């Protein structure tokens, strides 16, 4: 077995490799006296690491909206608008996703992360791929590695098979994981339904046809990412997820009660407090473009805990890959100018995977500067 190891007398690591990729084994790494240099983050990314200030994001009760209550809907629209104009984060309750299903999905994901290391490595993500297991993203990067493991898979409606998640689990993990795939399939289906309700609210909050975004995302493709953040003795020197914006359209996050998510607002990092029965929603870069820059895709990060492990389940909602990302005409007319060129999700995805490490607040701007010369050359 090959592992990331550290010389006990220095900050120099000895990286033992498996198939050319460093292996992340947090149990063994915890026994090292110093944190391997690959996991050290610069001070600018760790600033306010011990900050306890909490983000005052709205808690949106969706019950009235889903029942057609006009007053409750108006209140939800107002809360969503205020959040998305300021930082793009809010939490929702009475969201229609069964609590038992969320707990079941969390258990199945936890079981995957507790598999033997060799089994997890057998389904490792390949460079350029979106799906599979990753230990600290070591297959992509060699520095500023996140202190976490991830397991990612796709979800979309498929004419050939509606059980795309089940089929994936069986193909990479084996027949014994059919039940795990079934639970995660139902979880994705429920989150997809919730996303369409939120897109309807977003349309209303922007003053466009309330069904505009809902229809646009009816055939959406999603990326499901399960995160496991092990405890870290040197948690003040590293991060579970570095500062970034989500390049996707909408993020639906279930986090356990350990906490760790922080958002950069008003020039400081503020914690998103876990709330019982709530899901965290945030706007991504692609929806920022779909709103012509009206709504914010905000910088955020995840800290690790010195003593407690943390698990989160994240559904990233994306347009169908070949759909043109373009804001509604009436929204542009009101604002007077387009802020971003037409592009497809596959264009932005290519940029994030091949040309840019998504670790700052300017992904969409950097993409635009890269993309416009490409289109001018066509």
């Amino acid at each position: 077995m090959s592992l990331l190891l550290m010389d006990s007398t220095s900050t120099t690591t000895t990286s033992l490799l498996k198939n050319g990729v460093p292996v992340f084994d947090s149990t063994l790494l915890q026994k090292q006296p110093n944190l391997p240099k690959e996991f050290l983050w610069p001070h600018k990314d760790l600033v306010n690491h011990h900050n306890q200030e909490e983000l005052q994001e709205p808690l949106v009760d969706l019950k009235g909206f889903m029942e057609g209550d006009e007053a409750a809907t108006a209140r939800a629209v107002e809360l969503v608008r205020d959040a998305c104009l300021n930082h793009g984060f809010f939490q929702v309750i009475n969201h229609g996703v069964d609590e038992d299903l969320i707990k079941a999905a969390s258990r199945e994901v936890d079981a995957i992360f507790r598999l033997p290391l060799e089994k997890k490595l057998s389904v490792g993500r390949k460079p350029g791929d979106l799906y599979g297991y990753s230990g600290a993203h070591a297959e992509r990067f060699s520095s500023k590695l996140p202190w976490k493991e991830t397991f990612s898979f796709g979800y979309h409606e498929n004419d050939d098979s509606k059980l795309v998640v089940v089929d994936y689990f069986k193909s990479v993990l084996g027949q014994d994981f059919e039940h795990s795939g079934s639970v995660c399939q139902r979880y994705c289906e429920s989150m997809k339904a919730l996303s369409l309700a939120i897109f309807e609210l977003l349309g209303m909050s922007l003053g466009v046809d309330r069904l505009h975004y809902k229809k646009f995302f009816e055939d959406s493709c999603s990326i499901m990412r399960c995160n496991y953040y092990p405890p870290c003795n040197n948690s003040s020197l590293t991060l579970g997820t570095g500062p970034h914006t989500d390049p996707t359209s909408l993020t639906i996050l279930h986090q356990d009660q350990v906490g760790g998510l922080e958002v950069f607002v008003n020039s400081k990092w503020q914690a998103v407090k876990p709330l019982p029965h709530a899901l965290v929603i945030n706007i991504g870069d692609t929806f920022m473009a779909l709103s012509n820059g009206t709504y914010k895709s905000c910088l955020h990060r995840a800290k690790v805990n010195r003593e407690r492990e943390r698990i989160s389940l994240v559904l990233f909602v994306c347009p169908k890959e070949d759909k043109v990302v373009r804001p509604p005409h009436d929204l542009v007319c009101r604002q007077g100018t387009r802020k971003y060129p037409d592009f497809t999700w596959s264009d932005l995805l290519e940029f994030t995977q091949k040309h840019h490490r998504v670790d700052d607040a300017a992904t969409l701007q950097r993409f635009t500067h890269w993309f416009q010369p490409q289109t001018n050359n066509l």
Side-chain angles (χ1 to χ4, degrees), residues 40-53:
L40 296 175
W41 284 72
H43 175 73
K44 68 180 181 65
D45 293 327
L46 297 171
V47 66
N48 302 130
H49 201 281
H50 300 290
N51 175 50
Q52 297 299 313
E53 184 171 350

Side-chain angles (χ1 to χ4, degrees), residues 174-288:
Q175 190 68 36
D176 292 345
F177 288 85
E178 181 175 7
H179 175 72
S180 298
S182 177
V183 171
C184 291
Q185 171 89 29
R186 287 185 283 120
Y187 182 89
C188 290
E189 290 169 351
S190 294
M191 291 298 173
K192 165 70 179 294
L194 172 59
S195 76
L196 294 180
I198 293 171
F199 282 126
E200 187 172 348
L201 277 176
L202 289 170
M204 297 172 71
S205 69
L206 284 165
V208 301
D209 181 347
R210 65 183 289 168
L211 298 181
H212 176 84
Y213 295 114
K214 182 178 181 179
K215 290 179 179 178
F216 185 83
F217 285 98
E218 281 179 345
D219 59 355
S220 63
C221 300
S222 299
I223 302 167
M224 183 72 192
R225 176 160 295 167
C226 312
N227 298 304
Y228 171 66
Y229 302 91
C232 180
N233 292 333
N234 295 285
S235 58
S236 63
L237 301 177
T238 190
L239 288 168
T241 302
H244 69 286
T245 58
D246 294 336
T248 48
S249 297
L250 191 74
T251 302
I252 304 178
L253 163 72
H254 172 261
Q255 57 176 342
D256 59 23
Q257 296 302 301
V258 174
L261 174 63
E262 293 187 335
V263 182
F264 194 69
V265 180
N266 298 326
S267 301
K268 55 188 174 184
W269 289 102
Q270 302 180 47
V272 178
K273 181 182 178 181
L275 300 175
H277 315 299
L279 296 169
V280 179
I281 311 295
N282 71 270
I283 298 298
D285 294 331
T286 305
F287 194 85
M288 187 173 173

Side-chain angles (χ1 to χ4, degrees), residues 312-373:
S312 67
L313 308 180
V314 192
L315 188 78
F316 298 107
V317 185
C318 320
K320 193 174 180 182
E321 286 194 354
D322 59 354
K323 270 195 171 179
V324 176
V325 174
R326 179 187 300 135
H329 179 71
D330 51 346
L331 181 61
V332 176
C333 286
R334 271 185 270 140
Q335 297 177 338
T337 183
R338 281 286 300 276
K339 293 188 176 180
Y340 308 102
D342 286 356
F343 63 90
T344 65
W345 165 239
S346 60
D347 293 326
L348 180 55
L349 181 61
E350 177 190 359
F351 175 74
T352 61
Q353 295 299 303
K354 296 182 179 179
H355 301 284
H356 180 57
R357 175 166 179 163
V358 186
D359 61 356
D360 59 39
T363 303
L364 191 54
Q365 289 81 358
R366 290 174 184 269
F367 165 72
T368 299
H369 292 152
W370 169 81
F371 183 67
Q372 285 179 323

Side-chain angles (χ1 to χ4, degrees), residues 28-93:
L28 290 180
L29 286 172
Q30 284 284 69
K31 297 176 182 179
Q32 301 297 318
N34 299 309
L35 195 68
K37 65 180 182 181
E38 288 94 336
F39 293 94
L40 296 175
W41 284 72
H43 175 73
K44 68 180 181 65
D45 293 327
L46 297 171
V47 66
N48 302 130
H49 201 281
H50 300 290
N51 175 50
Q52 297 299 313
E53 184 171 350
E54 293 179 0
L55 181 70
Q56 299 303 306
E57 82 282 6
L59 180 62
V60 182
D61 190 334
L62 296 181
K63 185 173 186 292
F65 165 67
M66 291 183 169
E67 293 177 350
D69 184 302
E70 292 186 5
T73 297
R75 175 60 177 161
V77 167
E78 179 184 359
L79 291 173
V80 167
R81 180 188 299 114
D82 288 346
C84 294
L85 287 172
N86 287 307
H87 46 65
F89 274 77
F90 55 96
Q91 299 202 49
V92 295
I93 55 172

